[in-house]
Amino acid sequence: MSSTASGKTSDANSTWRNWGGNVAARPVRQVAPVSVEELAEAVRRAREDGLPVKAVGTGHSFTSIAATDGVLIRPQLLTGIRNIDRDSMTVTVEAGTPLKRLNAALAREGLSLTNMGDIMEQTVSGATSTGTHGTGRDSASIAAQIKGLELVTADGSVLSCSATENPEVFAAARLGLGALGIVTAITFAVEPLFLLTAREEPMPLDRVLAEFDQLWAENEHFEFYWFPHTGNTNTKRNNRSAGPEQPVGQLAGWFEDEFLSNGLFQVTQWVGRAAPASIPGIAKISSRVLSARTYTDIPYKVFTSPRRVRFVEMEYAVPRATLVETLRELKAMVERSGLRISFPVEVRTAPADDITLSTASGRDSAYIAVHMYRGTPYQSYFTAAERIFTAHEGRPHWGKVHTRDAEYFARVYPRFAEFTALRDRLDPDRLFRNDYLRRVLGP
């Protein structure tokens, strides 16, 4: 292990693995810079050595989007808040900052993001570059809350982007797939800290689908989990509240979120993997274990929850108007297939946004996520699900398992050529290349 003046550079050919355990890479060099200048120098050095460069966060993507056999940039030392501007209600944060640290720091300042995903382990740059999102009627993905960003480009220069400064880069780089450069800082829109009341309750799937448009319209944030092999769901409605704050009790929170949703769920996954025939019966029991509850708390304590059971995931965004039909087709496929699915299917929504390659770009979207426990065969299930999603012009989450290529994306993203033309301009020699980008963006 050799060190620069501040950061660390490793020339050891060690293996990097993602969180899901389904992607591995052996970079020639790993660099953990402590400043933008060090990161830019690492990019310039890689270019001189003829090595490709990729940045990786916490590895929560299930695709090989961050994998490289060249130089792997680890931004874990580029963390913290650079600036809070209460006049413009923005916060600028270093790219390697984990979302959980950002959320907690903002709460201490009496601030919050408007919306967020249900996991907060990712770095801010990794989450936004792959399109991490929550659910919302009016508020969109984390990337859609970006007001500005800083990018180290292929020649080692530092580019600042916003709606008024390099706007064509800003339109794409908010969700840039690591193809346009390495994000070093992000400026988010924030708002005064608020309260959300969460109402969680079981509901029959047929009722959810029959009333979906109403449930979506009446709630700021609506999502549900369908348990395959059953007609049961667990629904969650999050809406702003005047208070008072009534968080989940410590004992109840441990029982529901740790013992049931993680500990007991882990055991059922072990049993299901060992004896797949038991899965439908387990699913019927699991779908009835969680009881209805209501609580009121600050946003990140409502939006996010711990996910300790490891899995592999595919998620597609379909036009919101086609959600009910798509989910009915998925249910019918599972019932006739003989597949044994031990993980719930997650359904969320997002309004249309203006980000070039956002899964919600230009259209109101609904997300359907299918999962399998890590270590169990998932290909048959995901292949069959993907066939249904793509029949509805679905757009796969950039950080989750899919088999689509540039030809497909050129059909489902009206601004796809705009992105690839910008990539040609910013990285004509493909310094930031890897096999995944070659597949999804073309050579």
Side-chain angles (χ1 to χ4, degrees), residues 172-412:
R174 282 174 288 172
L175 201 165
L177 311 181
L180 305 177
I182 296 178
V183 175
T184 50
I186 298 174
T187 299
F188 290 105
V190 293
E191 58 178 299
L193 192 65
F194 55 93
L195 292 174
L196 285 171
T197 291
R199 179 181 168 193
E200 301 173 4
E201 66 174 318
M203 192 179 293
L205 176 64
D206 287 344
R207 179 184 165 194
V208 172
L209 296 183
E211 300 177 8
F212 176 75
D213 287 341
Q214 180 182 349
L215 289 163
W216 170 83
E218 291 179 349
N219 295 282
E220 292 174 77
H221 310 274
F222 175 71
E223 64 183 303
F224 67 93
Y225 293 84
W226 165 57
F227 295 80
H229 311 297
T230 80
N232 304 325
T233 76
N234 198 46
T235 65
K236 186 174 182 180
R237 287 167 264 194
N238 298 331
N239 291 285
R240 295 199 182 211
S241 170
E245 193 170 327
Q246 293 181 314
V248 176
Q250 189 171 359
L251 181 59
W254 173 84
F255 182 74
E256 293 267 352
D257 299 322
E258 290 293 347
F259 178 74
L260 292 180
S261 297
N262 284 291
L264 188 59
F265 187 55
Q266 175 73 75
V267 172
T268 65
Q269 296 305 305
W270 286 335
V271 172
R273 185 169 65 180
S278 68
I279 287 174
I282 292 173
K284 288 179 173 63
I285 296 170
S286 298
S287 66
R288 292 186 171 93
V289 167
L290 294 174
S291 57
R293 64 176 181 174
T294 300
Y295 55 96
T296 301
D297 214 329
I298 60 176
Y300 82 87
K301 294 184 179 181
V302 173
F303 284 130
T304 69
S305 54
R307 291 283 187 271
R308 309 198 199 287
V309 180
R310 303 215 174 195
F311 53 84
V312 178
E313 180 178 1
M314 169 183 282
E315 181 180 62
Y316 266 75
V318 298
R320 186 170 56 79
T322 70
L323 169 68
V324 172
E325 179 185 357
T326 306
L327 200 59
R328 288 192 188 283
E329 290 176 14
L330 183 69
K331 182 173 185 289
M333 179 275 291
V334 169
E335 289 173 348
R336 68 173 179 266
S337 67
L339 292 168
R340 293 294 177 257
I341 312 303
S342 61
F343 249 85
V345 173
E346 184 178 23
V347 179
R348 295 175 288 177
T349 68
D353 63 43
D354 63 351
I355 303 172
T356 313
L357 290 188
S358 165
T359 46
S361 182
R363 73 184 191 192
D364 292 341
S365 299
Y367 295 93
I368 304 175
V370 297
H371 313 69
M372 286 291 275
Y373 180 50
R374 188 173 76 169
T376 56
Y378 62 83
Q379 287 83 357
S380 295
Y381 177 36
F382 285 13
T383 298
E386 189 172 43
R387 192 175 298 121
I388 294 169
F389 299 149
T390 54
H392 293 278
E393 296 190 336
R395 298 168 177 171
H397 189 300
W398 296 105
K400 297 177 184 178
V401 175
H402 68 89
T403 65
R404 301 299 88 192
D405 60 15
E407 182 181 357
Y408 179 83
F409 292 124
R411 294 201 306 271
V412 299

Side-chain angles (χ1 to χ4, degrees), residues 30 81 128 140 179 199 249 262 293 322 326 369 420 425 439:
Q30 297 191 42
I81 291 176
T128 55
R199 179 181 168 193
N262 284 291
R293 64 176 181 174
T322 70
T326 306
T420 55
R425 176 162 72 83
R439 171 163 68 90

Side-chain angles (χ1 to χ4, degrees), residues 20 38 44 85 87 96 98 108 112 120 191 193 220 256 281 306 308 315 359 382 398 401-402 418 422 428 431 434 436:
E38 279 190 16
R44 287 190 289 267
D85 187 333
D87 293 328
R108 288 194 297 269
S112 178
M120 57 176 179
E191 58 178 299
L193 192 65
E220 292 174 77
E256 293 267 352
R308 309 198 199 287
E315 181 180 62
T359 46
F382 285 13
W398 296 105
V401 175
H402 68 89
E418 179 184 329
L422 179 64
L431 181 69
N434 67 1
Y436 180 79

